[in-house]
Amino acid sequence: MILYMLYCVKQLDWKNQAADTALNTLMRPSWAIAIGWIVLACVHGYGGPINWFLSLPMWQLPSRISYGMYLFHYPIMLVVSGTALSPQYFSVANVIYQFLSYFSLTFIVSFVFTVVIDAPFTVIFKRF
């Protein structure tokens, strides 16, 4: 529904300001509620094929790495930005370069974290 409403709003003949305001106000909370409902349905056994797909073993490593990226991205950005010796001027190339460097460094740190810390502790906890 949210994606359909976005399509309607983007049309050139859309003139409904009240609906546009309501959509802009409620779009993100509605999306969060929908994702939360899917998670809740999967936890209680009502997920069906969505639960089967999200529970596949192929998602374990990417989910652990993405959680590590979530944990480490902000400290890495803070340290790299804090060590700058001169002001950086805005340009599209500079922003792309910064994004790629932050992403690469965060991915490497998260992968090492997953392999060195998360995987051994998972094995230890499964034994007990």
Side-chain angles (χ1 to χ4, degrees):
M1 176 87 173
I2 294 168
L3 296 175
Y4 175 72
M5 284 304 296
L6 282 176
Y7 174 77
C8 292
V9 170
K10 298 296 180 187
Q11 300 304 311
L12 294 176
D13 59 346
W14 180 263
K15 303 287 186 223
N16 193 342
Q17 184 66 32
D20 192 27
T21 304
L23 179 67
N24 287 331
T25 303
L26 300 173
M27 180 175 48
R28 287 181 179 87
S30 300
W31 183 263
I33 289 170
I35 296 298
W37 180 81
I38 291 171
V39 169
L40 191 65
C42 289
V43 166
H44 290 290
Y46 297 110
I50 295 172
N51 188 31
W52 171 81
F53 180 72
L54 293 176
S55 298
L56 289 174
M58 71 176 186
W59 296 116
Q60 287 180 354
L61 184 62
S63 69
R64 291 179 181 173
I65 291 174
S66 69
Y67 182 67
M69 291 177 77
Y70 165 72
L71 289 177
F72 292 119
H73 83 278
Y74 187 71
I76 287 174
M77 289 174 64
L78 191 66
V79 168
V80 171
S81 298
T83 58
L85 298 175
S86 63
Q88 296 179 356
Y89 297 101
F90 177 81
S91 70
V92 174
N94 189 26
V95 171
I96 291 172
Y97 174 74
Q98 283 181 340
F99 166 75
L100 291 175
S101 63
Y102 290 146
F103 184 81
S104 302
L105 190 58
T106 303
F107 183 81
I108 291 168
V109 169
S110 301
F111 184 78
V112 169
F113 166 77
T114 301
V115 170
V116 173
I117 296 173
D118 188 40
F121 277 99
T122 302
V123 171
I124 290 171
F125 286 141
K126 282 185 179 179
R127 291 193 180 197
F128 294 109

